[in-house]
Amino acid sequence: MRQTAEWMTPSDDRILELLREYGNLTPRAVEDFGGPSMGHAQDRLPLLTKYGLVTRLSRGLYAISDDGLAYLDEELDASTLESVDDE
């Protein structure tokens, strides 16, 4: 069973699964591939990036990180992740 963090929502798992399946995606592509709405994905992707589960490749383009893959594979407890401020 995946170990989520308090800041996570159920849609975060779906976003991460889509990134693993399809590769680099925009929020619009997340919606197009059956994930949450573009607006919701736009809100969630920066937060997933902040905690290291996703990497921002360029403006509006995201990829799953090694930690994101480990989380999906139940090898990482997301509650142990710390916020990274790279701005």
Side-chain angles (χ1 to χ4, degrees), residues 9-70:
T9 66
S11 64
D12 293 341
D13 279 21
R14 183 67 180 137
I15 291 169
L16 292 169
E17 290 164 355
L18 290 170
L19 287 168
R20 176 171 59 182
E21 183 174 351
Y22 295 103
N24 307 338
L25 296 176
T26 63
R28 167 66 68 199
V30 168
E31 180 179 9
D32 290 347
F33 284 118
S37 71
M38 181 183 85
H40 187 71
Q42 280 178 317
D43 291 340
R44 299 307 301 168
L45 283 161
L47 190 60
L48 292 168
T49 301
K50 183 176 181 178
Y51 283 92
L53 295 174
V54 168
T55 302
R56 181 176 176 253
L57 301 175
S58 67
R59 185 171 181 227
L61 184 63
Y62 297 88
I64 193 165
S65 68
D66 289 341
D67 280 349
L69 292 171

Side-chain angles (χ1 to χ4, degrees), residues 2 60 77:
R2 292 180 187 151
D77 180 345

